[in-house]
């Protein structure tokens, strides 16, 4: 197999993007070749898994398509990258080649009725601000609110808004403009079920250059911070609070130990379990009554345009990241779901040494991040089997294989990328582990 002529590709990219739009500098290449995979001690032990030969920085959807076309013409592997906030190594270029950093392609094209369209690198918080100015809000956005729309759709799953709308493959995406090797660098517009073929598969079937996603009428949100003497108190009300109508945007809770690792704030009293909600203003009194009747205490009710993002960045993976920062090299986590997280919490905590659960009200059942003291890969996998036996759904964040609609993605990629140039190493026909669909 002939080694690609990277000097020639760099020259072509320079002509297309200008000298600031492409780099072969080792520091830039290394920076573009990592994501949040160090959150996994299993993956961290394997790093580096790959280093880009070149990095391109297109500034529009059309430039993303043109960059991919040049790479394909040169026979160069292409790995798409948003803000690099994913946690599974899905943005690592395992075969080297070209990393297409989409973070400069930030144009918000506009709002049309109940949808908003933006280029792949547009930050989610910028989309939310644009929607808000039009009296609307996003259906959902990830806990890392500055991550890009392309990254969230290509590698993410759910987040703030999940209680009402599920994950990002459940109607959030109205349309995509994608580029594939088979398209010859021409953007392909896909809608509805056809667009779903490019969601949560890390760009292995096509690279998202522009996205159109759903909006809904803007609500008047409040940030409600509460605490309980112990985690059992928070668990006792989580499902009830998550079932309020209109649905809260988020309901999160942490054990006292995880709460103690969160950024200092008077709403996190020492030794207590924290519960946080993004709740409709009209439901603050009802939610407060539920909390207080269960022995909890409302610490604060905050308002303003920043309240949703302030609570969002303390949800999903983020409390586990704070835990890992507080005790480096100690904890790992798995993603979990099911009523057993509430009903059998002592057994769930006992699966791993030092077990600590961060929990969220989910779309159908509670979801969360179960942390434990890391011992070995085998101990992690044995624990997953034990959790399954307890009735807990598990997604394994310690691997980078496409694990959502795998057979459909394989079939699609066979047509769109017959030479396997898109994010090689992530689409494994033999993968048979836990799937993303286990978490809802």
């Amino acid at each position: 197999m002939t080694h690609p002529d990277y000097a020639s590709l760099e020259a072509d990219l320079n002509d297309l993007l200008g000298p600031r739009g492409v780099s072969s500098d080792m520091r830039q290449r290394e920076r573009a070749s990592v994501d949040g995979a160090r959150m996994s001690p299993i993956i961290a032990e394997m790093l580096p898994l790959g280093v880009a030969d070149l990095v391109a920085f297109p500034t529009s959807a059309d430039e993303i398509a043109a960059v991919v076309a040049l790479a394909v013409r040169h026979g160069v592997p292409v790995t798409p990258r948003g803000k690099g906030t994913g946690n599974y190594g899905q943005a690592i270029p395992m075969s080297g080649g070209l990393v297409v950093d989409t973070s400069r392609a930030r144009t918000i094209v506009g709002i049309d009725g109940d949808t908003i369209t933006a280029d792949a690198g547009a930050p989610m918080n910028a989309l939310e601000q644009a929607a808000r100015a039009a009296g609307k809000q996003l259906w959902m956005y990830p806990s890392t609110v500055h991550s890009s729309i392309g990254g969230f759709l290509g590698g993410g799953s759910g987040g703030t808004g999940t209680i009402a709308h599920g994950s990002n493959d459940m109607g959030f995406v109205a349309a995509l403009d994608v580029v594939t090797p088979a398209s010859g660098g021409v953007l392909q517009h896909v809608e509805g079920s056809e667009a779903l073929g490019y969601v949560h598969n890390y760009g292995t079937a096509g690279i998202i250059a522009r996205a159109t996603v759903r909006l809904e009428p803007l609500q008047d949100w409040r940030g409600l911070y509460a605490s309980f003497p112990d985690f059992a108190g928070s668990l006792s009300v989580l499902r009830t609070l998550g079932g309020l109508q209109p649905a809260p945007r988020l309901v999160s809770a942490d054990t006292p130990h995880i709460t103690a690792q969160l950024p200092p704030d008077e709403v996190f009293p020492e030794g207590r379990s924290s519960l946080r909600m993004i709740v409709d203003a009209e439901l603050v009194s009802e939610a407060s009554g539920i909390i207080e009747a269960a022995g909890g205490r409302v610490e604060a009710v905050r308002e303003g345009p920043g309240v949703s993002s302030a609570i969002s960045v303390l949800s999903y993976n983020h409390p586990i990241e704070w835990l890992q920062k507080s005790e480096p090299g100690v904890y790992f986590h798995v993603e979990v779901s099911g009523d057993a997280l509430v009903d059998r919490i002592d057994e769930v905590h006992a699966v791993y040494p030092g077990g600590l659960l961060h929990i969220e009200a989910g779309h159908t059942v509670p979801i969360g991040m179960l942390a434990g003291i890391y011992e070995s890969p085998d101990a992690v996998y044995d624990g997953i089997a034990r959790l399954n036996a307890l009735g807990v759904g598990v997604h394994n964040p310690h691997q980078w294989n496409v694990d959502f609609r795998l057979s459909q993605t394989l079939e699609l990629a066979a047509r769109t990328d017959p030479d396997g140039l898109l994010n090689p190493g992530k689409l494994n026909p033999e993968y048979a582990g836990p799937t993303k669909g286990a978490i809802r």
Side-chain angles (χ1 to χ4, degrees):
M1 185 174 180
T2 304
H3 187 72
D5 184 350
Y6 285 104
S8 178
L9 175 58
E10 184 175 11
D12 288 346
L13 290 169
N14 186 77
D15 290 341
L16 173 68
L17 304 174
R20 294 177 59 84
V22 59
S23 178
S24 56
D25 176 75
M26 179 55 79
R27 286 175 297 179
Q28 287 269 36
R29 290 160 51 198
E30 290 177 339
R31 191 176 301 122
S33 300
V34 297
D35 59 8
R38 287 194 178 278
M39 195 171 180
S40 162
I42 295 175
I43 298 178
E45 291 170 357
M46 304 178 191
L47 296 176
L49 286 165
V51 177
D53 293 279
L54 290 172
V55 187
F57 302 93
T59 60
S60 69
D62 289 335
E63 285 189 353
I64 292 172
V67 165
V68 173
L70 284 174
V72 170
R73 191 179 308 158
H74 285 271
V76 169
V78 182
T79 300
R81 178 182 176 84
K83 296 297 286 290
T85 59
N87 299 124
Y88 318 129
Q90 62 264 51
I92 295 175
M94 293 185 173
S95 297
L98 176 70
V99 166
V100 181
D101 184 322
T102 64
S103 62
R104 297 183 189 176
R106 302 179 179 180
T107 298
I108 297 176
V109 178
I111 293 172
D112 183 8
D114 289 330
T115 63
I116 185 170
T117 300
D119 287 353
M124 296 300 296
N125 54 357
L127 269 69
E128 175 79 347
Q129 289 169 10
R132 188 180 186 87
K136 299 180 183 296
Q137 63 191 26
L138 291 170
W139 265 27
M140 67 178 64
Y141 57 82
S143 55
T144 309
V145 297
H146 65 275
S147 61
S148 68
I149 180 64
F152 178 47
L153 298 182
S157 180
T160 299
T162 282
I163 295 173
H165 299 297
S167 52
N168 63 8
D169 60 283
M170 299 172 69
F172 179 54
V173 181
L176 298 173
D177 292 306
V178 300
V179 58
T180 73
S183 75
V186 176
L187 287 175
Q188 304 290 300
H189 186 75
V190 292
E191 299 181 358
S193 60
E194 191 178 0
L196 181 59
Y198 302 92
V199 173
H200 197 73
N201 56 25
Y202 318 151
T204 54
I207 293 175
I208 297 169
R210 184 181 293 124
T212 300
V213 296
R214 307 284 182 192
L215 302 175
E216 60 191 357
L218 181 65
Q219 288 174 255
D220 185 13
W221 296 111
R222 296 291 185 271
L224 191 157
Y225 296 80
S227 72
F228 286 83
D230 54 31
F231 193 44
S234 291
L235 293 180
S236 72
V237 298
L238 181 117
R239 287 178 292 193
T240 301
L241 295 172
L244 293 173
Q245 293 297 324
R249 232 176 174 193
L250 193 75
V251 183
S252 295
D254 288 297
T255 68
H257 185 80
I258 295 179
T259 300
Q261 318 313 319
L262 299 178
D265 192 312
E266 62 185 6
V267 296
F268 305 136
E270 185 177 354
R272 292 175 69 88
S273 167
S274 170
L275 183 143
R276 307 170 294 279
M277 296 182 68
I278 303 172
V279 61
D280 191 284
E282 294 184 359
L283 294 179
V284 168
S285 178
E286 183 177 355
S288 298
I290 292 168
I291 290 164
E292 291 166 354
R297 187 171 73 206
V298 174
E299 301 293 345
V301 177
R302 295 173 177 173
E303 59 182 290
V307 68
S308 283
S309 60
I311 292 183
S312 296
V313 297
L314 297 178
S315 65
Y316 290 84
N317 280 339
H318 290 253
I320 305 303
E321 289 182 304
W322 284 105
L323 178 66
Q324 289 182 326
K325 289 176 183 177
S326 71
E327 299 178 65
V330 175
Y331 289 100
F332 76 100
H333 81 288
V334 292
E335 300 176 2
V336 291
S337 70
D339 285 314
L341 300 182
V342 174
D343 299 332
R344 306 180 72 172
I345 183 58
D346 290 340
E347 294 169 274
V348 170
H349 273 163
V351 166
Y352 295 116
L356 296 165
L357 179 68
H358 164 80
I359 195 167
E360 309 273 346
H363 183 55
T364 57
V365 293
I367 57 180
M369 309 289 160
L370 177 62
I373 296 171
Y374 180 64
E375 296 177 317
S376 70
D378 285 345
V380 173
Y381 305 138
D382 288 346
I384 290 175
R386 291 173 60 194
L387 287 165
N388 289 158
L390 291 173
V392 176
V394 180
H395 174 248
N396 177 14
H398 305 286
Q399 59 84 31
W400 49 79
N401 295 288
V402 171
D403 56 6
F404 174 71
R405 301 178 82 245
L406 176 58
S407 61
Q408 295 95 324
T409 301
L410 287 165
E411 182 180 341
L412 179 60
R415 301 194 306 269
T416 61
D417 182 28
D419 294 323
L421 292 176
L422 297 183
N423 207 355
K426 312 299 169 48
L427 191 54
N428 176 12
E430 305 302 319
Y431 178 74
T435 65
K436 194 67 179 177
I439 308 299
R440 282 288 181 267

